[in-house]
Amino acid sequence: MLEIKDLHANINGKEILKGLSLTVRPGEIHAIMGPNGAGKSTLASVLSGNQAFEVTHGSVSFYGKDLLELSPEDRSREGIFLSFQYPIEIPGVSMVNFMRTAVNEHRKYKNLEPLSATDFLRIMRQKKELVEMDNKLANRSVNEGFSGGEKKRNEIFQMAMLDPRLSILDETDSGLDIDALRIVANGVNKLKTSENASIVITHYQRLLDYIVPDFVHVLYDGRIVKTGGKELALELEDKGYDWIKKEVEEAI
Amino acid sequence: MAEDLLHEVTQADYKYGFTTDIETDIIPIGLSEEVVRLISFKKNEPEWMLDYRLKAYRHWLTMKMPEWAQLKIPEIDYQSISYYAAPRTNGPKSLDEVDPELLKTFNKLGIPLEEQMALSGIAVDAVMDSVSVKTTFKESLAEKGIIFCSFSEAVEHHPDLIKKYMASVVPITDNFYAALNSAVFSDGSFVYIPKGVRCPMELSTYFRINAMNTGQFERTLIVADEDSYVSYLEGCTAPMRDENQLHAAIVEIIVHKNAEVKYSTVQNWYPGDKDGKGGIYNFVTKRGICKGENSKLSWTQVETGSAVTWKYPSCILQGDNSSAEFYSVAVTNHHQQADTGTKMIHIGKNTSSHILSKGISAGVSQNSYRGLVRVGANAENARNFSQCDSLLLGDKCGAHTFPYMEVNNETAIIEHEATTSKINEDQIFYCNQRGISTEDAVGLIVNGYAKEVLNKLPMEFAVEAQKLLQITLEGSVG
Ligand SMILES: Nc1ncnc2c1ncn2[C@@H]1O[C@H](COP(=O)(O)OP(=O)(O)OP(=O)(O)O)[C@@H](O)[C@H]1O
Ligand SMILES: [Mg+2]
């Protein structure tokens, strides 16, 4: 579904992604690990169309479409969902209103009628249960005053509402307590089908006990420098990144 | 990038830019005692009305345009304006007699007159240019003793009420524009709610500037007698124009003992194009007095239009235990300038006032809140709470807050809060990532921000106002 080839991207003239390639097929879960500042969030931003980043080289196709040509909202409507590492607060805009607008925009893109208020609220109730989200949160403004963990849970709730084909979870586990981690991971697993795929960015093997990846990639200095199965995550947890950095440097 | 974003959303053109082709009766441009007499003559006014106009005109000659506002206004040549325009026909008696062109115009605006009347039970006193074209539901109101008619009719049929109340809140000497209006006002609305009567429907008036080069000078007078209640809506939108058009209205409201008046406005005069060409100059004097004990006045305004807005709906809290509210959303985009706010003058004991102002600026516009809270020496236990928020879209626009306080009684409790926030790219991107376009995102955020004020509007207006906010800011974030 997703084919990234030799992707280079800059921010403020500084190159962050330096030739990244990755292929994701339906039904797969890819974990991306790597040291701070390696470019993991940058990859997520570029895939979702954040215009702060400039793609200088390479290509990304999503179900045959040139993803880089699409506006951020169309990428979303095509089924790309980003669970933000740092979800944004939007004061004054209620979660209900926000989600209803989003869901109906997705429907419009598919030439479907907007959901009635009743249908929408029913679906919203179901999806809230999936991540055991407090009713009170859904009645508040988008992320406003949410705790770190509540924000993350809210991201997965939105993912459940929008039912994406490809979800990118950027450190969704950070800031979650142990119970919340299990709930959120269960939520993600329940949303999993053979038709959709996930890219899970994380620093901790712990999450991968719950969300079991098909592939683990190490992103270092703007490139994927190592790929393995889920056992690679255990190895990284054990040994850190130094040995990989060394491998990379030796290769040069 | 922020700028590109902002640049795009602010590029939408005025959606209501069209003019209707209705024959109008215009008098030559220029202002003189002759012209004032001619206006009065054309309107068949009694002597006392002419005297009032002349007095105002002579006083106006001694006055200067106020310059204290945070506004850059090009010099206005008052001799190049025509001060009177009236549709040629006499007032129609039913909808069939209304010019189909006018009806079409209302339809384009999404204000179908028929529907308004049939569905919402609103009596529409539609002012086309200067003369009232149509007054409806008058009879059902008349049963309750409510008077709702054009100002001219009131001068003719209710001279005692007009003489008693006109200029009792806004004297002709009040300010430059008030004096001008008093001299040349064309028409407007008059409302009288008798003692103990609760007006059963929202009263509304749609104004529209239509004739080329014609200043529009309405005058509204609302009197709520003891124990009465009325909610009054005023909304307007004007056709696309190249020339600047002058608009100087007066609204006076008198609220007697235990009575309550709610006055709501959605103002959408032509704001000029995106380069700042054209647009309405809107210099309005709106003031009410809470005359009796326990009286209550509330102003709600959504200001999105006009090139220049100079407007301070105010309240004199004279009666003991009286209260007043001012809820405002003022949006400026492109080159628009707004200097708006309120004055709360506490005179009676235990009076309270509440000010909630939400400014939204985009483009290269300037948006100022200017508010005065004055507590007189005898106003024991006066209370005021003011909240003035500014929301910026982009970094080329300006938001300013000028709160003034004059407190002459130490039992007063006056609180003021102000915030400034910015719609940032991260918020927009977050919405985009969920499939919401930038324009819709701005609409969501802006309507969320203005919610508290919009909620104060009557239902049918709230929806219109929400759309208006989004339309006004289209293109300002991209
Ligand atoms: N707006 C920006 N301006 C300048 N540099 C930036 C900007 N945003 C990101 N960077 C830089 O890009 C590099 C990659 O950042 P990125 O957020 O992608 O890292 P990451 O792999 O997600 O790290 P972490 O594990 O800490 O989340 C970092 O060096 C970061 O400082
Ligand atoms: Mg990151």
Side-chain angles (χ1 to χ4, degrees), chain A residues 49-65:
Chain A
N50 188 332
Q51 288 159 44
F53 296 86
E54 185 199 0
V55 175
T56 53
H57 187 80
S59 66
V60 182
S61 82
F62 186 60
Y63 282 101
K65 283 194 181 150

Side-chain angles (χ1 to χ4, degrees), chain B residues 141-346:
Chain B
L141 293 173
E143 277 170 26
K144 295 197 168 248
I146 294 171
I147 304 168
F148 177 38
C149 62
S150 72
F151 205 90
S152 315
E153 286 175 277
V155 169
E156 194 182 337
H157 300 298
H158 310 284
D160 295 344
L161 286 172
I162 297 291
K163 279 189 210 165
K164 181 170 176 190
Y165 290 110
M166 182 178 65
S168 71
V169 194
V170 182
I172 52 174
T173 53
D174 192 81
N175 69 72
F176 182 82
Y177 305 114
L180 180 64
N181 176 291
S182 300
V184 302
F185 71 89
S186 25
D187 210 333
S189 302
F190 175 70
V191 176
Y192 175 79
I193 315 290
K195 272 186 195 159
V197 170
R198 212 184 144 81
C199 183
M201 58 187 83
E202 311 268 359
L203 294 182
S204 78
T205 307
Y206 288 95
F207 294 98
R208 193 163 165 75
I209 290 183
N210 201 281
M212 273 262 210
N213 271 333
T214 304
Q216 174 108 358
F217 305 92
E218 304 94 353
R219 194 154 185 132
T220 303
L221 177 59
I222 299 173
V223 181
D225 217 327
E226 293 180 10
D227 299 296
S228 70
Y229 167 84
V230 65
S231 167
Y232 188 92
L233 322 181
E234 169 212 343
C236 57
T237 134
M240 185 83 96
R241 278 277 166 252
D242 242 355
E243 290 92 333
N244 289 306
Q245 290 180 304
L246 180 63
H247 181 208
I250 291 183
V251 177
E252 290 182 283
I253 300 177
I254 294 98
V255 196
H256 286 290
K257 194 172 147 186
N258 297 326
E260 179 177 357
V261 174
K262 282 189 183 165
Y263 191 103
S264 314
T265 308
V266 172
Q267 187 272 117
N268 185 26
W269 301 103
Y270 179 52
D273 68 13
K274 56 184 190 294
D275 302 316
K277 191 158 179 276
I280 304 295
Y281 292 177
N282 197 17
F283 306 123
V284 186
T285 306
K286 288 185 167 176
R287 193 177 305 147
I289 183 164
C290 285
K291 224 174 160 65
E293 281 166 42
N294 299 313
S295 53
K296 197 172 169 197
L297 172 61
S298 133
W299 296 104
T300 305
Q301 63 173 21
V302 175
E303 300 283 323
T304 61
S306 297
V308 178
T309 300
W310 180 95
K311 180 175 179 183
Y312 316 90
S314 300
C315 188
I316 301 165
L317 294 128
Q318 191 184 71
D320 291 346
N321 306 315
S322 61
S323 63
E325 294 169 341
F326 172 75
Y327 293 100
S328 170
V329 177
V331 186
T332 53
N333 195 357
H334 302 308
H335 291 261
Q336 280 179 281
Q337 307 176 64
D339 193 298
T340 183
T342 184
K343 288 184 201 168
M344 294 293 181
I345 312 294
H346 293 255

Side-chain angles (χ1 to χ4, degrees), chain A residues 36-37 39-42 85-86 170-171 201 203:
Chain A
N36 294 131
K40 302 181 298 294
S41 294
T42 301
Q85 181 172 4
Y86 304 108
D170 191 355
E171 297 199 23
I201 297 170
H203 285 295

Side-chain angles (χ1 to χ4, degrees), chain B residues 8-9 12 432 436-444 470 473-477:
Chain B
E8 271 173 48
V9 184
N432 289 159
I436 301 169
S437 71
T438 298
E439 267 172 25
D440 289 343
V442 170
L444 270 178
Q470 187 166 349
L473 291 166
E474 261 173 27
S476 60
V477 181

Side-chain angles (χ1 to χ4, degrees), chain A residues 76-77 80 82 92 155 158, chain B residues 427 430 433-435 448 451:
Chain A
S76 165
R77 295 164 189 164
I80 289 187
L82 171 59
E155 295 292 285
Q158 294 177 48
Chain B
Q427 291 172 326
Y430 191 80
Q433 211 301 305
R434 299 310 187 235
K451 196 160 52 188

Side-chain angles (χ1 to χ4, degrees), chain B residues 346-419:
Chain B
H346 293 255
I347 296 172
K349 295 182 177 42
N350 306 316
T351 48
S352 68
S353 60
H354 184 193
I355 297 171
L356 177 60
S357 161
K358 299 266 182 182
I360 302 168
S361 348
V364 291
S365 67
Q366 295 292 328
N367 199 329
S368 305
Y369 166 81
R370 188 180 304 277
L372 168 68
V373 177
R374 179 187 292 154
V375 178
N378 300 322
E380 298 290 317
N381 302 318
R383 286 224 48 168
N384 164 269
F385 178 72
S386 304
Q387 167 99 37
C388 303
D389 297 331
S390 308
L391 181 68
L392 300 166
L393 284 77
D395 44 23
K396 293 202 186 82
C397 50
H400 318 273
T401 308
F402 304 99
Y404 303 91
M405 274 172 242
E406 295 170 17
V407 181
N408 300 309
N409 184 309
E410 56 189 25
T411 61
I413 304 174
I414 309 293
E415 292 166 86
H416 179 90
E417 283 175 15
T419 67

